[in-house]
Amino acid sequence: MSTEGKYALIGAGPSGLAGARNLDRAGIAFDGFESHDDVGGLWDIDNPHSTVYESAHLISSKGTTAFAEFPMADSVADYPSHVELAEYFRDYADTNDLRRHFAFGTTVIDVSPVDSLWQGHHA
């Protein structure tokens, strides 16, 4: 990527989605890269890089974990399972039209400084 004035965001997990939402809301152009084929990061048990096990649940409450602008549904357990979290992150991405910013199935293989900027390569 060498588009001047454009930023890269690596990963579409919870932090990547939060970053994407804030960049999008601020009108800052960016490209997102996610090696898996969907959002959710490690909370998506189908992600080959996930370390989540079948009985995993969040250890903090949904109220303290949810995005402030997007509370988790009343039907979600107080300490959500990985299934509920993966669904929540998909819903957040869809509600805020964040998927359009990401190239899924794309792995960033390196980044390096070029002058005062960074240049990346992906596969």
Side-chain angles (χ1 to χ4, degrees), residues 5-16:
K6 197 161 190 182
Y7 297 89
L9 193 149
I10 301 170
S15 295

Side-chain angles (χ1 to χ4, degrees), residues 1 3 12 20 37 43-44 46 50 60 87-88 112 119:
M1 165 187 271
T3 307
D37 62 5
W43 285 104
D44 180 354
D46 295 327
S50 177
S60 57
E87 182 177 328
Y88 173 74
S112 56
Q119 180 176 15

Side-chain angles (χ1 to χ4, degrees), residues 1 3 6-10 28-33 100-103:
M1 165 187 271
T3 307
K6 197 161 190 182
Y7 297 89
L9 193 149
I10 301 170
I28 298 171
F30 70 96
D31 289 320
F33 300 95
R100 67 187 163 92
H101 295 288
F102 286 90

Side-chain angles (χ1 to χ4, degrees), residues 1-122:
M1 165 187 271
S2 62
T3 307
E4 188 174 331
K6 197 161 190 182
Y7 297 89
L9 193 149
I10 301 170
S15 295
L17 292 175
R21 175 68 174 134
N22 283 293
L23 289 168
D24 188 50
R25 194 174 6 203
I28 298 171
F30 70 96
D31 289 320
F33 300 95
E34 170 56 52
S35 61
H36 186 46
D37 62 5
D38 204 357
V39 301
L42 298 178
W43 285 104
D44 180 354
I45 202 167
D46 295 327
N47 181 337
H49 300 289
S50 177
T51 55
V52 169
Y53 46 92
E54 198 57 51
S55 62
H57 281 69
L58 196 61
I59 62 170
S60 57
S61 71
K62 70 181 184 182
T64 60
T65 302
F67 295 113
E69 68 176 351
F70 196 74
M72 291 188 198
D74 290 341
S75 60
V76 173
D78 287 337
Y79 295 89
S81 70
H82 71 86
V83 173
E84 291 172 305
L85 286 169
E87 182 177 328
Y88 173 74
F89 295 130
R90 287 191 295 269
D91 290 346
Y92 182 77
D94 292 341
T95 297
N96 294 295
D97 193 24
L98 299 176
R99 291 175 194 267
R100 67 187 163 92
H101 295 288
F102 286 90
F104 291 97
T106 304
T107 301
V108 174
I109 54 175
D110 80 359
V111 293
S112 56
V114 177
D115 298 323
S116 63
L117 300 173
W118 289 81
Q119 180 176 15
H121 300 93
H122 56 85

